[in-house]
Amino acid sequence: MHPAAWAALGPLLWACGLALRGGMLYPRESPSRERKELHGLWSFRADFSENRQRGFEQRWYRSPLRESGPTLDMPVPSSFNDVGQDRQLRSFVGWVWYEREVTLPQRWTQDLGTRVVLRIGSAHYYAIVWVNGVHVVEHEGGHLPFEADISKLVQSGPLSSCRITIAINNTLTPHTLPPGTILHRTDTSKYPKGYFVQNTNFDFFNYAGLHRPVLLYTTPTTYIDDITVTTSVDQGTGLVDYQIFVQGSEHFQLEVRLLDQEGKVVAQGTGCRGQLQVPNAHLWWPYLMHEHPAYLYSLEVRVTTQTAAGPVSDFYTLPVGIRTVEVTERQFLINGKPFYFHGVNKHEDADIRGRGFDWALLVKDFNLLRWLGANAFRTSHYPYAEEVLQLCDRYGIVVIDESPGVGIVLAQSYGNRSLQHHLEVMGELVRRDKNHPAVVMWSVANEPASFLPPAGYYFKTLIAHTKALDPSRPVTFVTNSNYEADLGAPYVDVICVNSYYSWYHDYGHLEVIPLQLATQFENWYRTYQKPIIQSEYGAGAIPGFHQDPPVMFSEEYQKALLQQYHMVLDEKRKNYVVGELIWNFADFMTDQAPQRVMGNKKGIFTRQRQPKAAAFLLRERYWQLANDTRRPPAAGGAQCLESGLFHV
Ligand code: GCB
């Protein structure tokens, strides 16, 4: 790589490979825990200097950002790319600086029995954080949270405020996830001196910034650091195995209680690990698979220590869904019953805010999913916000939880350095999402060049590591039907395959789909004897473009292409095909390219979440599938299922 590209990366080079320490429980309020959200306007500056290092050379973190130059107002959470009018900021590559002054409640700064934690939900891609000019944490990876205990800093002086500075670099290299390369254009007859661009091998815009909530929260100094819950069922009795990690003291009492939705205690225990038994448990069922889907219990954990001032407790409540997941040669089973994924692939993407978290958008998306009759989605192509998974738990939307391993196509990205980082990312992902009943499978990557020789060792190691981290869930990666050899497929539990017949080849020839798709399924099943999910298929449609007989990019073509797929899916789902996920839920932004019309238009909804014709087709199908594949009604129950079809 050209030296200037390394300069653009700056500290990224020396700070990779941070070990995974401690838990990453979602910060919930409780009688012992407070939260302070830092959303709103932050001060912002992109470092446009040629080597992108001015911020470090001039130590912009040492004093308020406004003192080292002009600043912009920047909303958090949001990507910085699309909120301004500056084309150069939209496509900026390098370090950007965020800053926020926070006034803290007096108790937080004076009570030494209080622990104050700064938590950043996501900063894409590499982040360095200072509090009052003191370096507190660094993190690599744009889609998972990280924290710093800042108690000592905020409790050391008379100040009741603190200044948080976050420098974020969006540069992607062959060793980041997702990978990318910096291309230096050195022909001075065509490009100015020092000109470089970011190149990627994935099909979405590399939005950057503080994408998810940034907040401060407190715990007592002896606190519940992590909880791991796994569930099973034995003849109607729900078994909840728990393990709890406490930090801050070795002497404490630990009590756990499991409450049902009426607030009744159904089981209790003491100590750091144990099993709770729930006779006649309400199981967590997916949406449309049961008359009462998504039943959640509450696991109340209380840890108490004795201090000079008397006993002090920390409380944390974790939602728990009791369910099982298994994979056989032909089936995907939830609670022992065959489950058919009928759903979507999504992106975290919207107008103006880019990948920034937004409650209104989240609720709209879930309303659309339920309207559609979708029972599942894949977090293509990176982990989504924790708030998204919480809604999946509550609504019964099943999730294939994917790592940011997308576009791994360069031989360089299969070396030890990349593998090591990928292993760490899987560790962070499992640590964050392991307790969500909605998450039924991990996906380690999307369409990696799994035919390259080093891919065999890479995926064998990665998948074995993921299974060791979480033996309770199957693991997959998503491959492409065009790949002739797949060196990773022997290690996965479920084959997820993407194909774009009559779209990326045989343009306009919808009639070839049945043959090509049937051949795809038969080949994969013959080779691996594992259940298969059609993890992507679809066609671009520009909303409002109509043409009949259908031609590419019309709403009619998108619909007709889906219908061809559905005929084959209906045949093969009697056998070993266990799911279909449309590409994509909504139109989304990509890099500019001649084959992209203001982004990727394969959404069945527009980017503004309005339905195209295909959305109505899919809605009919999904509700019908819900009826065809639903759980047989339990004796003496399930009136709404027994009485016939779900209502569309
Ligand atoms: C794929 C990729 C996805 C793309 C899609 C497309 O195979 O997994 O990221 O957006 O195809 O539309 O080309």
Side-chain angles (χ1 to χ4, degrees):
M1 190 189 275
H2 191 281
W6 292 121
L9 289 173
L12 198 128
L13 295 175
W14 43 262
C16 293
L18 303 172
L20 201 60
R21 284 190 304 267
M24 195 51 67
L25 288 175
Y26 185 75
R28 294 173 190 281
E29 282 176 324
S30 80
S32 58
R33 294 175 173 230
E34 292 163 83
R35 263 171 73 121
K36 188 175 173 60
E37 310 246 357
L38 304 183
H39 48 226
L41 292 186
W42 288 53
S43 296
F44 175 91
R45 183 184 308 138
D47 183 349
F48 277 102
S49 63
E50 203 177 316
N51 66 1
R52 304 291 198 253
Q53 293 293 300
R54 185 169 299 149
F56 295 99
E57 288 157 7
Q58 298 184 347
R59 302 184 190 184
W60 288 353
Y61 50 88
R62 291 284 284 271
S63 48
L65 204 53
R66 62 178 179 278
E67 292 178 12
S68 50
T71 59
L72 301 175
D73 282 339
M74 189 55 70
V76 173
S78 177
S79 301
F80 62 74
N81 310 79
D82 284 350
V83 297
Q85 289 302 98
D86 178 355
R87 188 163 45 84
Q88 286 189 320
L89 182 58
R90 183 170 191 272
S91 54
F92 180 80
V93 179
W95 291 99
V96 298
W97 293 72
Y98 283 79
E99 183 201 75
R100 169 86 187 248
E101 297 263 357
V102 191
T103 305
L104 300 173
Q106 211 174 37
R107 203 181 61 70
W108 294 23
T109 58
Q110 294 187 356
D111 174 3
L112 301 185
T114 293
R115 188 174 150 261
V116 182
V117 182
L118 170 63
R119 189 184 211 266
I120 293 151
S122 136
H124 187 72
Y125 173 81
Y126 192 91
I128 309 179
V129 184
W130 297 263
V131 171
N132 294 336
V134 178
H135 173 280
V136 293
V137 68
E138 299 192 13
H139 184 258
E140 178 176 358
H143 310 91
L144 289 162
F146 56 101
E147 297 187 338
D149 179 340
I150 61 165
S151 321
K152 286 207 174 66
L153 278 168
V154 299
Q155 290 167 351
S156 60
L159 285 181
S160 61
S161 70
C162 68
R163 182 168 44 82
I164 300 170
T165 314
I166 309 180
I168 302 177
N169 194 326
N170 58 355
T171 308
L172 300 178
T173 77
H175 306 297
T176 56
L177 270 191
T181 40
I182 296 288
L183 294 181
H184 288 270
R185 307 293 191 192
T186 49
D187 180 346
T188 48
S189 69
K190 291 188 180 154
Y191 301 98
K193 190 172 149 280
Y195 195 83
F196 66 91
V197 289
Q198 171 79 69
N199 193 27
T200 58
N201 285 300
F202 51 78
D203 183 35
F204 51 89
F205 192 81
N206 189 32
Y207 279 114
L210 289 171
H211 282 158
R212 297 185 189 148
V214 179
L215 54 89
L216 293 167
Y217 71 92
T218 64
T219 71
T221 46
T222 296
Y223 62 96
I224 301 155
D225 181 47
D226 200 9
I227 305 173
T228 304
V229 161
T230 52
T231 63
S232 51
V233 183
D234 183 16
Q235 298 183 355
T237 298
L239 306 175
V240 178
D241 288 286
Y242 66 87
Q243 193 173 0
I244 296 160
F245 297 90
V246 173
Q247 291 281 356
S249 168
E250 285 176 359
H251 307 287
F252 52 83
Q253 285 111 44
L254 213 150
E255 297 151 73
V256 297
R257 309 195 305 165
L258 192 71
L259 278 66
D260 67 12
Q261 282 185 352
E262 273 71 55
K264 198 170 113 233
V265 178
V266 293
Q268 44 194 328
T270 53
C272 287
R273 62 165 72 213
Q275 185 179 75
L276 303 176
Q277 304 199 348
V278 189
N280 302 317
H282 298 282
L283 301 189
W284 187 95
W285 287 99
Y287 176 51
L288 300 180
M289 204 173 171
H290 191 270
E291 65 274 28
H292 299 299
Y295 192 96
L296 292 174
Y297 291 88
S298 299
L299 185 74
E300 285 187 359
V301 180
R302 172 189 186 145
V303 60
T304 307
T305 37
Q306 301 302 327
T307 70
V312 175
S313 294
D314 185 26
F315 301 87
Y316 191 89
T317 300
L318 181 77
V320 170
I322 301 177
R323 59 110 184 89
T324 62
V325 174
E326 279 161 274
V327 174
T328 71
E329 211 178 273
R330 286 163 185 264
Q331 290 181 317
F332 196 98
L333 304 172
I334 295 185
N335 299 332
K337 307 281 187 238
F339 177 73
Y340 187 77
F341 296 76
H342 43 90
V344 304
N345 292 276
K346 289 185 92 260
H347 261 299
E348 291 187 318
D349 176 274
D351 286 334
I352 303 170
R353 50 191 71 55
R355 220 172 289 311
F357 178 78
D358 179 78
W359 278 110
L361 183 73
L362 180 68
V363 172
K364 179 71 180 171
D365 280 5
F366 274 83
N367 286 333
L368 289 176
L369 286 171
R370 296 195 296 173
W371 173 88
L372 199 62
N375 64 2
F377 67 80
R378 170 165 73 115
T379 68
S380 44
H381 292 306
Y382 37 78
Y384 291 179
E386 292 154 285
E387 291 80 358
V388 176
L389 298 178
Q390 288 162 9
L391 275 200
C392 290
D393 289 346
R394 285 176 46 194
Y395 293 163
I397 305 290
V398 165
V399 176
I400 302 174
D401 202 351
E402 187 156 288
S403 91
V406 54
I408 312 179
V409 298
L410 302 171
Q412 280 165 286
S413 303
Y414 284 101
N416 271 341
R417 178 169 165 194
S418 295
L419 176 58
Q420 187 55 33
H421 178 56
H422 207 152
L423 297 175
E424 284 170 16
V425 170
M426 289 315 299
E428 285 183 42
L429 177 62
V430 172
R431 172 176 71 169
R432 191 195 72 161
D433 292 349
K434 62 191 170 186
N435 293 322
H436 288 286
V439 174
V440 298
M441 182 154 65
W442 306 109
S443 163
V444 296
N446 178 70
E447 293 191 8
S450 46
F451 43 84
L452 293 177
Y457 173 75
Y458 189 99
F459 285 106
K460 182 178 177 187
T461 312
L462 187 61
I463 291 167
H465 173 78
T466 308
K467 285 178 186 248
L469 288 167
D470 178 12
S472 76
R473 288 180 178 87
V475 180
T476 189
F477 77 58
V478 177
T479 189
N480 186 292
S481 60
N482 290 331
Y483 296 172
E484 282 176 4
D486 200 306
L487 301 171
Y491 310 110
V492 301
D493 297 302
V494 174
I495 304 278
C496 283
V497 57
N498 300 342
S499 59
Y500 287 92
Y501 300 121
S502 303
W503 186 258
Y504 285 125
H505 39 81
D506 300 304
Y507 314 132
H509 292 288
L510 295 170
E511 63 280 4
V512 303
I513 292 177
L515 179 61
Q516 296 188 359
L517 184 59
T519 307
Q520 164 198 284
F521 285 136
E522 282 152 25
N523 285 347
W524 283 94
Y525 191 74
R526 189 178 326 108
T527 315
Y528 298 108
Q529 282 100 52
K530 296 177 185 183
I532 304 177
I533 296 176
Q534 180 69 44
S535 42
E536 285 181 29
Y537 70 107
I542 300 182
F545 274 32
H546 292 288
Q547 190 80 28
D548 193 38
V551 298
M552 291 175 81
F553 288 106
S554 67
E555 295 200 28
E556 288 73 15
Y557 191 88
Q558 186 182 37
K559 247 177 90 171
L561 184 143
L562 303 192
Q563 279 166 324
Q564 295 293 315
Y565 266 80
H566 295 161
M567 286 187 323
V568 181
L569 286 162
D570 281 339
E571 231 3 81
K572 300 295 178 194
R573 72 185 166 84
K574 295 181 197 145
N575 245 315
Y576 47 75
V577 169
V578 297
E580 55 188 82
L581 305 174
I582 185 79
W583 190 262
N584 188 287
F585 173 72
D587 293 345
F588 59 91
M589 192 48 72
T590 63
D591 263 351
Q592 300 181 58
Q595 65 275 32
R596 292 285 175 259
V597 193
M598 299 262 290
N600 188 313
K601 291 286 188 274
K602 295 195 186 73
I604 55 160
F605 297 100
T606 65
R607 202 180 192 208
Q608 297 71 35
R609 277 41 179 187
Q610 296 308 318
K612 301 182 194 171
F616 296 97
L617 172 87
L618 219 56
R619 182 173 191 237
E620 282 283 328
R621 174 168 179 79
Y622 283 179
W623 283 94
Q624 189 59 49
L625 281 170
N627 285 295
D628 292 354
T629 60
R630 69 192 184 195
R631 184 175 77 93
Q639 282 83 356
C640 94
L641 294 178
E642 279 169 325
S643 65
L645 293 183
F646 288 108
H647 296 298
V648 179

